[in-house]
Amino acid sequence: MPTPLRIAVLASGRGSNLAALIAARDAGTLPVEFVLVASDKASAGALRLAEAAGIPTLALNPKSYPDRPTFDRELFGRITTSGADLLVLAGFMRVIDGSALAPWAGRVLNIHPSLLPRYRGLHTHRRALEAGDAEHGASVHFVTAELDGGPLIAQARLAIETGDDEETLARRLLPLEHRLLPAVVALVAAHRLALGEAGVLLDGQPLHAPLQLGEHGLQ
Ligand code: GRF
């Protein structure tokens, strides 16, 4: 059996995307080993999920550090020590310093609840509704120092219906996120996905448009 991909996950919140990754691993569809789940919030549900799954956890309080670069240096030092091959941001609500990210170029993924490049940052559901968009969605991208601005890998799309509000949109999008993120991590685990000089490479070929999540997975 090939060595499973070692992944670390950063999460600030309840951790349903982490739960989806763990479930895919347990179902045998995601050949990964979780080496660390870390959070900037000691109360994060993601940490409790990781503990229950027997995954090493780490909570670091940003307030205990003089500034962002110092916090990020400590956090990324611990991630490096964990032996992770890939870092997945699954609801990590902090901007990461460019100097901490630099050695990890092409090895950090983020899931963001919008059809990037639309709506980087917060309140994506509200902003899609306010703009009168016909569709909304989620994106997985490689992380760069630019917030939610790194090269796009894959998206899941959702039609906005009359009567949708922030809550209904978030509720209908989440199950799509839970399929999208494990599917992208599986591509990394299969060594099919990489970040090259000119952008995302799938099976060694430039990816000209993000993959789309369909009924049967990414296409
Ligand atoms: C998700 O909507 C994710 O896209 C966003 O934050 C939310 C995290 O949810 N970045 P959870 O903690 O994984 O349940």
Side-chain angles (χ1 to χ4, degrees):
M1 262 217 353
T3 328
L5 182 79
R6 287 167 301 193
I7 68 172
V9 177
L10 285 180
S12 303
R14 73 196 146 181
S16 69
N17 278 287
L18 169 67
L21 290 170
I22 295 172
R25 190 269 320 258
D26 292 347
T29 55
L30 188 60
V32 298
E33 178 193 346
F34 293 90
V35 293
L36 182 69
V37 172
S39 183
D40 56 325
K41 301 242 180 312
S43 60
L47 292 175
R48 306 291 89 75
L49 283 171
E51 286 160 7
I55 301 166
T57 59
L58 169 70
L60 288 184
N61 183 353
K63 296 207 178 85
S64 309
Y65 297 82
D67 51 27
R68 181 190 305 283
T70 314
F71 174 80
D72 287 349
R73 205 161 41 240
E74 172 68 18
L75 178 61
F76 275 69
R78 303 282 283 263
I79 295 165
T80 301
T81 304
S82 76
D85 304 308
L86 177 77
L87 173 62
V88 180
L89 310 187
F92 187 60
M93 302 306 283
R94 281 179 61 85
V95 173
I96 300 170
D97 195 66
S99 64
L101 278 173
W104 282 83
R107 295 193 295 142
V108 186
L109 302 179
N110 180 43
I111 182 157
H112 181 75
S114 81
L115 292 174
L116 291 171
R118 272 181 272 174
Y119 315 129
R120 295 177 184 183
L122 299 174
H123 309 302
T124 56
H125 311 310
R126 186 194 310 167
R127 289 156 69 198
L129 287 165
E130 281 172 359
D133 290 353
E135 63 173 1
H136 188 44
S139 306
V140 175
H141 63 94
F142 281 113
V143 174
T144 62
E146 197 182 345
L147 179 70
D148 301 326
L152 283 173
I153 302 165
Q155 295 183 317
R157 313 182 94 86
L158 174 74
I160 296 182
E161 291 165 5
T162 317
D164 262 332
D165 56 25
E166 276 184 72
E167 200 203 303
T168 60
L169 260 191
R171 195 181 329 126
R172 284 194 291 122
L173 185 57
L174 207 54
L176 297 181
E177 293 188 34
H178 296 164
R179 290 173 52 218
L180 182 67
L181 185 58
V184 174
V185 175
L187 288 179
V188 179
H191 305 289
R192 297 186 57 197
L193 195 65
L195 183 60
E197 290 282 307
V200 178
L201 299 172
L202 178 66
D203 298 329
Q205 301 300 313
L207 189 64
H208 296 296
L211 298 167
Q212 299 294 316
L213 185 71
E215 217 175 302
H216 303 292
L218 291 177
Q219 44 202 230

